[in-house]
Amino acid sequence: MEPNGPVSSPQDDAARPRWSVGSGSGLHYGSFVNSLSSLTPNAVENPAISPRRAHIAIAVLCYINLLNYMERYTIAGVLSNIQVFFGISDSTAGLLQTVFICSFLLLAPLFGYLGDRYNRKYIMIGGLSVWLVTAAGSSFVSSSQFWLLVVLRALVGIGEASYSTVAPTIIGDLFTGGKRSIMICIFYVFIPVGSGLGYIAGAGSSALTGDWHWALRITPIMGVVGLILMIFLCPNPPRGAAETHGEGVTGHSSYKEDIKYLLKNKSYVLSSLGVTALAFLTGALAFWLPTFLSRAHVTQGLRPPCLQERCDSTDSYIFGAVTVATGILGGSLGTCLSRWFRDKVPNADPLICAVGMLGSVPCLFITIFVASASIPATYVFIFFGELLLSLNWAVLADILLYVVVPTRRATAEALQISVGHLLGDAGSPYLLGVISDAIRASKPKTYDWSFQSLKYSLLVCPFVGVVGGVFFLMTALYITEDRKAVEQLLGDTSQPQQDPAPESSVEMSDKAKN
């Protein structure tokens, strides 16, 4: 891999200095005493990537993000078939998602480190290639090789880790201000949209072919197209290009210094803890709700129990459609609220996230207890619960981009992903499966008791939602100050300062080399 940087001639480099976030003087968070405007008073706007190419890149990144989350939840769409095929319990079934997330989070810090220092496009291409091969390979596993399916799911997580840590930072370097908020919203809307389509594609392909293995072959086929598009259409902009009018910002810091910087950033730490609670909640619900609804149908006598491999996939279709709709509506609404209130209420973003998390809690409680009585009412409250949770995705991504300096955003993304998955959705599907199995073992096994045991295990989710809401409320106390610190560093090149700037952690890269 080659180090990232803008393509320019030696003459250009001599005439046009690069902006640098150096670590030689410490770069203590919140102590930025220079703005880039004081360093480059004569800077002229010079976009590193043309607007047309930037919008094409967004389309490619969104398409791959869609496939990323489709692949992640196709298994949930055919989970009942997989349990019958391999003869596994709830806890063992939950292990499939857990090993995927564990490998994902373990490799995320590595890709974050590489993403802040090397060519991000090459990193994504390599990771996407690994993902395509392993995801396709997992569809050829026989009934006696469940262990192989587990191993391949873990390898799929390695491939996806490279993309998820790097792609948002590229968007942050292509756009700024309100336009970046919109692009981030579009990108993150594909998380719930892809998740919902994953259920639909998984259940649909299984129903059409009569074989659940085809559910795992759809996204790799579509992924080949994404890989080709990325190779030819996705750029690798200079880090910080959007904020510095195409110049970019270079970094001279060790990984240890990056981690210290992030841990001193209170908004980043607290919002990451909120993301962790959100990941726990959405991971558990996404994996188990279709199965929970299917068992509710059996309990009410509306459907016979699944005893053969081709189980009824109606709930996966409906749940997938609800997830798509709430993802689009919630993501768009969250971004609109953020843009509307940001100038009026400086700490509006974390408050929106807190409202989304806390507002979803009563909806989840009602969903869990109404399922045994009314399936339509259950879907209504699932809709509102997911809508409120979907307010958060784009807003949280925007928070990270404006409270972290450009040269440390990939590391910040990676660390947030690692912590969020480690304490969130890496264990939540498995944990709920273990609780369900433990409760079920306390009484003779019946179809009604299988439903009740899963219902009681899902009660963990509302309590986690309350904890996440508290973390977002705490973030609101610090976010204004932390955002101003980054803005002070990056500055506004259209307003030059006449006084000479003192030595600080922000310095010309040419000077740093001497």
Side-chain angles (χ1 to χ4, degrees):
M1 283 181 291
E2 63 184 38
N4 176 56
V7 178
S8 60
S9 66
Q11 291 80 5
D12 291 337
D13 290 339
R16 187 185 65 192
R18 293 285 306 281
W19 296 332
S20 171
V21 179
S23 62
S25 54
L27 192 58
H28 299 295
Y29 187 80
S31 63
F32 307 126
V33 294
N34 271 349
S35 68
L36 293 175
S37 57
S38 66
L39 298 174
T40 56
N42 297 318
V44 179
E45 183 170 347
N46 182 28
I49 306 295
S50 68
R52 179 175 179 273
R53 191 180 176 199
H55 285 91
I56 292 175
I58 287 292
V60 173
L61 294 175
C62 287
Y63 174 72
I64 298 174
N65 201 38
L66 174 74
L67 299 182
N68 188 352
Y69 281 87
M70 280 183 64
E71 198 284 329
R72 192 174 297 189
Y73 289 103
T74 49
I75 279 187
V78 291
L79 186 60
S80 297
N81 292 277
I82 292 175
Q83 287 186 277
V84 172
F85 182 78
F86 289 105
I88 54 177
S89 64
D90 286 350
S91 58
T92 306
L95 189 63
L96 286 172
Q97 190 75 348
T98 295
V99 295
F100 164 80
I101 297 297
C102 284
S103 64
F104 184 90
L105 68 90
L106 289 175
L107 270 293
L110 172 62
F111 289 116
Y113 175 85
L114 297 174
D116 278 335
R117 290 160 177 83
Y118 297 96
N119 190 303
R120 292 172 288 183
K121 178 177 178 178
Y122 294 165
I123 294 171
M124 291 192 296
I125 290 173
L128 184 57
S129 300
V130 171
W131 168 59
L132 292 176
V133 172
T134 53
S138 65
S139 69
F140 295 97
V141 176
S142 65
S143 60
S144 61
Q145 296 177 313
F146 179 74
W147 64 271
L148 180 58
L149 179 62
V150 173
V151 171
L152 289 172
R153 290 300 296 169
L155 294 176
V156 170
I158 294 174
E160 289 194 18
S162 65
Y163 181 79
S164 296
T165 55
V166 171
T169 68
I170 290 181
I171 298 175
D173 292 334
L174 291 174
F175 302 95
T176 188
K179 194 163 189 178
R180 181 165 69 186
S181 297
I182 294 174
M183 295 303 169
I184 285 291
C185 170
I186 295 172
F187 180 80
Y188 275 91
V189 156
F190 283 95
I191 291 180
V193 170
S195 302
L197 290 178
Y199 298 113
I200 296 171
S205 58
S206 176
L208 288 174
T209 62
D211 183 2
W212 66 266
H213 290 85
W214 276 99
L216 305 184
R217 296 169 186 164
I218 299 299
T219 49
I221 293 172
M222 298 172 66
V224 173
V225 178
L227 180 62
I228 295 172
L229 292 175
M230 177 175 287
I231 292 172
F232 292 102
L233 299 178
C234 187
N236 181 44
R239 292 168 181 82
E243 290 101 335
T244 58
H245 304 293
E247 291 290 341
V249 177
T250 58
H252 305 281
S253 62
S254 67
Y255 188 71
K256 182 179 179 180
E257 289 172 325
D258 292 348
I259 298 299
K260 286 182 177 180
Y261 162 83
L262 293 172
L263 292 178
K264 291 179 180 179
N265 187 331
K266 295 178 182 178
S267 295
Y268 172 76
V269 171
L270 291 170
S271 63
S272 295
L273 292 174
V275 168
T276 301
L278 179 63
F280 183 101
L281 192 61
T282 56
L285 295 175
F287 195 79
W288 284 117
L289 271 186
T291 300
F292 175 69
L293 292 167
S294 178
R295 293 181 185 180
H297 277 92
V298 175
T299 297
Q300 294 185 38
L302 302 175
R303 181 184 302 166
C306 179
L307 301 176
Q308 298 179 352
E309 190 178 324
R310 294 189 65 178
C311 301
D312 193 314
S313 301
T314 303
D315 296 301
S316 294
Y317 289 126
I318 299 175
F319 185 73
V322 169
T323 302
V324 171
T326 56
I328 295 173
L329 293 174
S332 302
L333 180 59
T335 298
C336 290
L337 291 173
S338 173
R339 297 188 68 191
W340 178 266
F341 287 108
R342 190 176 294 173
D343 293 335
K344 304 176 181 65
V345 184
N347 59 350
D349 285 352
L351 292 177
I352 292 171
C353 295
V355 169
M357 285 289 282
L358 296 175
S360 69
V361 169
C363 295
L364 295 176
F365 267 117
I366 296 173
T367 294
I368 293 169
F369 286 101
V370 169
S372 59
S374 173
I375 298 298
T378 303
Y379 273 116
V380 170
F381 286 101
I382 288 175
F383 178 89
F384 286 111
E386 288 204 334
L387 179 68
L388 289 165
L389 290 174
S390 295
L391 294 177
N392 295 346
W393 292 115
V395 178
L396 285 171
D398 211 17
I399 287 175
L400 185 147
L401 291 175
Y402 65 63
V403 299
V404 176
V405 293
T407 54
R408 284 165 169 163
R409 284 174 182 162
T411 298
E413 288 278 356
L415 187 61
Q416 189 176 88
I417 286 173
S418 295
V419 174
H421 287 312
L422 177 64
L423 302 178
D425 56 346
S428 61
Y430 180 68
L431 175 63
L432 265 63
V434 169
I435 295 173
S436 176
D437 284 347
I439 295 174
R440 191 189 315 176
S442 64
K443 289 185 178 182
K445 185 177 179 180
T446 64
Y447 294 114
D448 179 67
W449 188 236
S450 294
F451 165 74
Q452 296 294 337
S453 63
L454 185 56
K455 180 179 79 172
Y456 293 137
S457 70
L458 286 170
L459 288 174
V460 174
C461 295
F463 291 103
V464 174
V466 172
V467 174
V470 171
F471 281 129
F472 288 132
L473 290 175
M474 294 173 66
T475 304
L477 300 176
Y478 302 100
I479 196 164
T480 302
E481 176 185 350
D482 292 341
R483 182 177 185 178
K484 286 181 179 178
V486 175
E487 290 175 346
Q488 184 179 355
L489 170 66
L490 296 176
D492 183 358
T493 59
S494 64
Q495 298 178 0
Q497 297 178 3
Q498 300 301 322
D499 297 332
E503 290 291 333
S504 75
S505 59
V506 183
E507 57 190 357
M508 305 293 289
S509 60
D510 289 344
K511 184 176 180 179
K513 295 177 183 178
N514 294 331

